[in-house]
Amino acid sequence: MKSKLLMLLAGSVLFFTACAAPEEENAGETTTDGSETELAAEEATSTSRQLSDEYYRSLITDGQYQTSANRGATLGTNSNYNLKAFETGLLEISQEHFSTDNHLIQEGQYLDSSTVNKWLERYRPEGKGFNQYGDPITVDESSQNLEGLNPQHNGSKEPDERTPIFLESILEQNYVTETENGYKLSGISIGLAMNTVDYYQKKQFDATFETKISEEELIQQGKEMADKIIERMRQIEGLEEIPIVVGIFKQTPQDSLAGGSYVEEGVSENGSNSVGGWTNLSVKKLVFPLQGGESTELNSFQNFKSEVESFFPNLSGVTAEATYIDDTLVKMKVDIVTQFYGETEVIAFTQHVYDQAVKFLPPNIPIEISISSIKGMEAFLARETGENQFYSHVFD
């Protein structure tokens, strides 16, 4: 359980966006049989500690952790909730294909910032077109973008008629295995963050309007874009035969207190230029007490919330993000925001939260409880699957 806290403290919300690996930067790599990219043993090592079976060890190159060369270059996600869910969700999907026992993770090194930015833009052929506000323009050779994955603007400014931006961000993760000669790339995971709401303006500095996108439409667009991405990635040296896992992520709107979730996953194997074996992921997230109807879980949370609020009057909010798979609750994250005036209050309140969590919150699922104030994190409690007691820590 301490690993959960360590990951939290280490800033686990690192956005592994599409990362650069220009050929001139790959001096430490050699290509074997045209399909496997190997890293020389003297240049690549790994972290020796694996916090738990849930986490991959990290690849270290030239004594340093290799971060994304284009971090922040993509359009980004709607919120920090989506940002965290986008990354952790792809890690969970990847674990089904690349075991943490024998694979290491490296932030993506094959899609550079220039490439990703072009892919995230609209398709713009030369000739008559429209700018981002839907105004007519002439697209010349210097402003065209034949690599854009988002569809060409149709010129309408009406929410239900305009062509929205479907794809908002691309996430790349690389997975490597150890060989006698060092490490080799064994798999890649790609996350596609799709919009459920496209926010736009009709003119500069204008009000913001919304185009809503159905789950069916975003999945269809995501699958079509995935095939185009795979076809392009197969042209990159070393990726001709590498298994590539693709997840389609459904973002929640900007004002949602819950992060999005992956709705589809597929795999491109054996050098295929497309993604096959698409699987629907029946994942949904609800925010208690705002959602949930009359569910048993909501009633339990309401009892917990009531007891917590009655103990300490200066609470700004008690909410929970509940994750369901196939309509079964699988995990819960609780956020409590309050004001504190002394160390003894923090300790007393944390102890009370602990007691009420054991008493009221759903059993047999992992639960994380964060207690924060305007000063930051005050205390943290967590419990893993099958455990009855919580690990707790009060921050100094």
Side-chain angles (χ1 to χ4, degrees):
M1 187 59 59
K2 291 183 179 180
S3 61
K4 292 279 188 181
L5 179 60
L6 290 173
M7 289 297 289
L8 181 68
L9 295 174
S12 61
V13 191
L14 291 176
F15 191 26
F16 295 165
T17 53
C19 315
E23 290 184 10
E24 64 269 24
E25 294 181 1
N26 290 346
E29 299 184 359
T30 58
T31 303
T32 60
D33 68 28
S35 64
E36 294 180 350
T37 302
E38 294 213 13
L39 302 174
E42 67 272 16
E43 296 184 354
T45 59
S46 69
T47 52
S48 60
R49 298 286 182 182
Q50 185 175 7
L51 297 180
S52 80
D53 293 339
E54 297 178 57
Y55 305 127
Y56 291 96
R57 289 184 295 130
S58 298
L59 187 70
I60 306 298
T61 305
D62 293 329
Q64 295 183 334
Y65 179 82
Q66 301 299 303
T67 60
S68 301
N70 71 334
R71 179 176 295 171
T74 62
L75 292 180
T77 55
N78 279 343
S79 66
N80 287 334
Y81 298 108
N82 280 309
L83 181 68
K84 176 72 177 290
F86 190 31
E87 178 192 344
T88 57
L90 190 60
L91 283 169
E92 291 171 358
I93 289 176
S94 300
Q95 289 169 5
E96 299 297 320
H97 300 271
F98 313 117
S99 171
T100 59
D101 292 338
N102 54 8
H103 287 83
L104 293 81
I105 190 172
Q106 182 181 41
E107 293 194 32
Q109 300 294 306
Y110 293 91
L111 302 180
D112 61 43
S113 59
S114 176
T115 296
V116 172
N117 281 329
K118 287 181 179 179
W119 289 4
L120 290 172
E121 293 177 4
R122 290 186 182 274
Y123 176 76
R124 289 193 308 274
E126 190 172 358
K128 298 297 182 181
F130 302 91
N131 64 14
Q132 62 181 334
Y133 305 111
D135 300 321
I137 58 171
T138 298
V139 180
D140 58 23
E141 185 176 354
S142 63
S143 60
Q144 71 176 359
N145 181 17
L146 302 181
E147 298 180 41
L149 293 171
N150 279 299
Q152 185 177 7
H153 204 304
N154 63 3
S156 175
K157 298 189 179 188
E158 298 306 312
D160 297 332
E161 298 176 5
R162 65 184 287 274
T163 307
I165 295 290
F166 292 98
L167 176 63
E168 186 159 346
S169 194
I170 298 175
L171 173 62
E172 177 194 354
Q173 295 171 351
N174 298 158
Y175 295 93
V176 302
T177 51
E178 190 170 5
T179 70
E180 293 181 355
N181 300 319
Y183 297 88
K184 71 174 183 180
L185 178 70
S186 298
I188 293 177
S189 291
I190 297 292
L192 305 180
M194 311 297 292
N195 286 322
T196 54
V197 178
D198 178 30
Y199 301 92
Y200 74 101
Q201 295 175 309
K202 296 182 179 181
K203 59 183 179 181
Q204 192 175 17
F205 307 122
D206 195 10
T208 298
F209 297 85
E210 300 180 358
T211 296
K212 291 181 169 52
I213 302 170
S214 68
E215 182 172 322
E216 180 181 6
E217 190 174 16
L218 73 83
I219 289 176
Q220 178 185 344
Q221 289 286 336
K223 288 182 177 181
E224 293 175 1
M225 293 175 181
D227 285 341
K228 293 178 182 178
I229 289 173
I230 294 300
E231 185 175 6
R232 296 173 185 181
M233 292 183 69
R234 292 301 183 199
Q235 306 305 311
I236 300 175
E237 183 178 1
L239 304 187
E240 296 88 348
E241 302 291 331
I242 295 296
I244 303 176
V245 175
V246 180
I248 297 176
F249 179 81
K250 181 179 73 172
Q251 289 204 109
T252 53
Q254 291 179 350
D255 58 357
S256 175
L257 295 178
S261 58
Y262 281 87
V263 292
E264 293 275 342
E265 69 165 297
V267 186
S268 173
E269 297 182 297
N270 303 320
S272 172
N273 284 337
S274 61
V275 181
W278 285 106
T279 302
N280 180 261
L281 304 174
S282 300
V283 179
K284 68 178 180 180
K285 295 183 179 181
L286 300 178
V287 176
F288 296 157
L290 304 179
Q291 300 169 307
E294 297 300 324
S295 67
T296 301
E297 293 86 10
L298 175 59
N299 293 336
S300 297
F301 175 78
Q302 290 281 34
N303 291 330
F304 167 79
K305 181 174 182 291
S306 177
E307 290 295 326
V308 169
E309 290 175 336
S310 65
F311 179 82
F312 200 82
N314 296 324
L315 293 181
S316 300
V318 181
T319 59
E321 180 187 276
T323 301
Y324 291 81
I325 297 179
D326 294 325
D327 294 324
T328 300
L329 182 66
V330 295
K331 63 181 177 180
M332 180 179 287
K333 295 183 179 180
V334 179
D335 288 312
I336 303 174
V337 181
T338 187
Q339 298 176 353
F340 287 110
Y341 303 100
E343 183 74 7
T344 56
E345 287 179 310
V346 176
I347 295 173
F349 184 69
T350 302
Q351 291 171 341
H352 182 70
V353 169
Y354 188 121
D355 291 340
Q356 304 313 311
V358 172
K359 184 176 180 181
F360 290 110
L361 294 184
N364 303 320
I365 63 166
I367 295 177
E368 294 181 5
I369 304 174
S370 300
I371 302 173
S372 60
S373 69
I374 57 174
K375 297 187 299 182
M377 184 76 73
E378 298 283 359
F380 178 78
L381 302 92
R383 183 190 72 192
E384 293 186 352
T385 303
E387 293 186 358
N388 296 320
Q389 302 302 312
F390 285 81
Y391 167 79
S392 62
H393 180 80
V394 175
F395 294 88
D396 293 333

